[in-house]
Amino acid sequence: NGYVANICFMANVKAYYLFKERKEIKTIFEDLNNAHFQPINEEAKLIAEKSLTFFRKVKVALTAVSLMSYLCAMTIPIFSSKNKSLPIIAWYPFNISATPVHQLIYLHQAVAVYFESMVNIENDVLASGLFTFIGIQCDFLCYKLYNGTEANMKNYIEDHQRVQNFAKRCENVFSKIYFFQYFATTSGLCMTLFLLTVVAPNTFEFFFLVVYQMAVFNLLLVPSWFSSEVKRKSENIPVAAYCYPWVDAKQTVKRDLLIFLRSTQKPMQLKALGFFNLSLGVFLKVGNYKKIIMLIVEL
C-alpha cells in the first residue's frame, strides 16, 4: 500500500495548505480580472488563446489518465481470483466478508480514493492554470515592447513589477506543496516500478501499475512544465525590451529602458520552499525519469 498511501497523503497536505492560504488564493483570483492584465487588442487575445488552448488539452489529458488509474485500482478486486477482496488492503476490527458490510467498505474506499485523487488533480490543474496566466502576461509584455505601444517606459516597468508580484504570490501558495510532492511522487514511482518487476506481464494488475505510473508521473511533470514555461517566457522580456524603438526616443526613455533591462535580467523562477526551482531540469534530475521510462518500455 506504500505507493498509494504516500500519494493519498499528499492530497491531505495539498488540502491543508490550500485551506491555509485560502485568503491569498481569493485575492489572486480577484487579480485575474485586473484591467492591467487584460489583452489590449484582438492580436493579444490570440496570443493568450494559444497558451490557454494548450493548457486545456493538458488538463483533459491529466484528468483522463488519473481517472483511468482510479478506475483500474477500484476494479482490480472484480478481476481478482480472491473472494471478498478490497481495492486497498486494510485491517478492520470486524468481519468485512459478510454482506452488506463488504459492499459498504468497498464503497467507502472507492469514495475516499476518488476524493484524494480529485484533490491531487485539481491542485495541479489550479497551479498550472495560474502558471499559464503568468506566462501569458509575459507574452503580453513582450508584445507591447515589440510594437512600442506606449511611449512611457515606466508603464512597462510597472507591468513587469505587477507580473513579478503575482508570480511571487503564487509561489508562496504552492511552494510548500511541491516541496513535499517531489518526495511523494518519486517514492511512489520507485515503489510502483519495483512492483512492475514482480507481477506477471500482460495481466490486469500490470496494466494498472503502468497507468498508475503515468498518473503519478504527470502529477509532477505538468506543474514542472508550466513553471519552466514561465521561466522561458520571462527570459524573452529583455530581448523584447532591446527591440523597443529606443533609438530616436527621449533621453529619459533611454534611461528608463536601461533600468528596465537591468531589472529583467533575472528570469521569473518558481521555487519549491526556496530550495530548488520547480522546473523540468530538476524534475528529470530528481526522479531520473528517463531510466524509468526505458525500464517500463523494456518490461
Side-chain angles (χ1 to χ4, degrees):
N1 283 337
Y3 68 99
V4 176
N6 57 357
I7 301 301
C8 290
F9 174 73
M10 270 310 304
N12 297 325
V13 172
K14 291 177 179 179
Y16 168 75
Y17 281 115
L18 289 176
F19 180 78
K20 183 180 178 182
E21 302 291 341
R22 62 191 182 280
K23 292 183 180 179
E24 183 67 32
I25 294 174
K26 182 180 179 181
T27 60
I28 288 174
F29 277 120
E30 290 173 352
D31 282 349
L32 294 178
N33 294 321
N34 190 316
H36 295 285
F37 290 150
Q38 306 310 311
I40 59 176
N41 54 31
E42 292 298 323
E43 191 172 351
K45 286 183 181 180
L46 293 176
I47 294 174
E49 187 59 34
K50 183 179 179 180
S51 296
L52 290 173
T53 300
F54 177 75
F55 164 70
R56 295 188 192 105
K57 291 179 180 179
V58 172
K59 180 179 68 173
V60 171
L62 174 63
T63 305
V65 172
S66 299
L67 288 178
M68 187 184 302
S69 173
Y70 164 77
L71 291 174
C72 289
M74 293 301 103
T75 54
I76 280 180
I78 299 175
F79 299 96
S80 175
S81 59
K82 298 179 181 179
N83 294 324
K84 300 292 184 179
S85 58
L86 294 169
I88 306 298
I89 300 173
W91 177 86
Y92 293 90
F94 48 82
N95 182 17
I96 62 172
S97 60
T99 304
V101 177
H102 175 75
Q103 287 76 9
L104 291 174
I105 295 297
Y106 200 113
L107 178 63
H108 170 262
Q109 289 193 359
V111 172
V113 174
Y114 176 79
F115 176 78
E116 302 280 2
S117 300
M118 288 299 101
V119 171
N120 275 318
I121 295 169
E122 297 308 325
N123 174 87
D124 294 333
V125 169
L126 173 62
S128 301
L130 292 175
F131 297 164
T132 300
F133 182 81
I134 297 170
I136 289 173
Q137 296 309 312
C138 294
D139 290 338
F140 283 170
L141 187 53
C142 290
Y143 172 79
K144 293 177 183 178
L145 287 164
Y146 277 124
N147 292 276
T149 57
E150 297 182 31
N152 191 349
M153 183 59 61
K154 291 182 179 179
N155 292 334
Y156 297 121
I157 297 175
E158 292 175 356
D159 286 344
H160 183 252
Q161 289 176 341
R162 272 190 286 266
V163 177
Q164 278 188 317
N165 179 59
F166 187 89
K168 190 64 179 179
R169 290 161 58 200
C170 291
E171 179 186 310
N172 292 336
V173 172
F174 294 103
S175 63
K176 298 182 183 68
I177 291 175
Y178 287 112
F179 176 80
F180 293 110
Q181 180 150 317
Y182 263 98
F183 297 100
T185 53
T186 301
S187 59
L189 286 168
C190 291
M191 292 179 186
T192 312
L193 192 62
F194 168 74
L195 290 174
L196 280 170
T197 63
V198 297
V199 300
N202 302 323
T203 60
F204 185 82
E205 186 176 2
F206 181 86
F207 172 73
F208 158 68
L209 291 173
V210 171
V211 175
Y212 185 80
Q213 278 267 6
M214 294 171 58
V216 177
F217 182 84
N218 287 329
L219 283 179
L220 200 55
L221 171 62
V222 171
S224 297
W225 174 277
F226 285 101
S227 178
S228 293
E229 283 294 287
V230 171
K231 179 177 180 294
R232 182 183 67 82
K233 291 184 177 183
S234 65
E235 289 175 337
N236 295 332
I237 295 176
V239 178
Y242 187 76
C243 295
Y244 179 82
W246 54 269
V247 177
D248 297 324
K250 296 180 181 179
Q251 193 66 27
T252 55
V253 174
K254 294 179 180 179
R255 184 180 65 250
D256 291 338
L257 177 60
L258 286 173
I259 297 173
F260 182 69
L261 284 169
R262 178 66 177 174
S263 63
T264 57
Q265 289 303 303
K266 186 178 181 181
M268 299 179 196
Q269 292 182 312
L270 302 166
K271 296 182 179 295
L273 207 58
F275 285 97
F276 50 84
N277 297 327
L278 184 61
S279 63
L280 287 175
V282 176
F283 169 77
L284 293 172
K285 290 179 181 178
V286 171
N288 207 355
Y289 295 112
K290 184 177 179 181
K291 291 185 178 180
I292 292 178
I293 295 172
M294 294 302 297
L295 185 54
I296 291 177
V297 172
E298 291 176 2
L299 289 172

